[in-house]
Amino acid sequence: MSEDILKINNLFVNYKTRQGDVKAVNNLSFTLEKGDKFGLVGESGSGKTTLANAILRMIKPPGYIPSGDIFLDGTDVLNLSDSDLRKFRSTSVAIVPQAAMNALNPVRRVGQQMNDAFRDHGVKLSKSDLNYRLGELMETVGLRSDVPNLFPHELSGGMKQRVSIAMAVSLNPTLIIADEPTSALDVVVQRQVIDTLDQVKEKYGATILLVGHDMGLMAQFSNRLGIMYAGELVEVGSSDKIFSKPNHPYTEILISSLPDTKTKRKLVGIPGLPPTLLDPPTGCKFHPRCPKVFDPCSDLIPDKEIIDNKSFFSCHLASKNRAKVK
Ligand code: SF4
């Protein structure tokens, strides 16, 4: 039986503002199985990066976590001491950031930066062992063995992102969070970076949480998907099932916004704008933009419709469809 690596229960993440609290993540629960390639998708401001930062315990004031649990491989992440948290990062969870250039130190060579991470986690390697390890990591991410001798400004955008992936896997973490790792890259390099993530997942057996808004990339990469809207997960399930038959109208529109070169169907946009999370709509938060909105949607929050122990969606259409069948 597959093992749950990450368990998030009823998590809330708020940001304090003068006007009140912004609920960026609102009562969110889901699990990741060992080896999952989970795609977390949604528009900008839907709470994806806030959720990723919460898993890394990187929520900074004015953000705070009023309640909820995060367990990674049995570790209670929200109750780690500062010293345990330092060890936990990189060895249990690592991030491939959105802007690799900003994540790399511009005045230190790539290999020196990677060695800093080893030493900080108590891994002391001789010069020859370090060179061997760096060479192995470079080979895994498809880079030349001399890249550790270079400064970040000597690398292209795609190479920097691969260096970030090599850094993320260097201490063999259980979970790698890749936060929009391809957003600043052209489509060819995007594909290469996604293939690299796939290779490191195969080689190191890590579980990957890929955060993004590009449904095309998610279709290529993920085996499971979570769709976020206004701080909530509105649908979770296997990528195959969601792409072939989405249950939530928001998921349906996200998929319809993908170009299809075979059918050349008309692209569908999402009307309106994401809601402000200071004062979100009542009932289903998607109701002001939903093409299938009906009576209860503006007043009642939809229940979670459980499909199986790893799949659910939240939409009143579930009860409407059940009533039709009766
Ligand atoms: Fe649309 Fe209503 Fe479902 Fe919300 S609950 S997604 S408004 S049909």
Side-chain angles (χ1 to χ4, degrees), residues 55-57 72 75 77 80 83-94 121 173:
I55 299 168
L56 288 150
R57 274 272 302 275
L72 178 59
T75 300
V77 177
L80 282 172
S83 61
D84 286 344
L85 182 60
R86 200 173 169 89
K87 279 186 226 142
F88 168 80
R89 292 192 186 131
S90 294
T91 52
S92 291
V93 59
H121 285 81

Side-chain angles (χ1 to χ4, degrees), residues 18-36:
R18 284 201 189 126
Q19 290 79 31
D21 278 9
V22 171
K23 287 189 180 140
V25 170
N26 188 19
N27 199 14
L28 187 144
S29 302
F30 77 109
T31 56
L32 292 190
E33 280 179 9
K34 191 172 171 41
D36 259 347

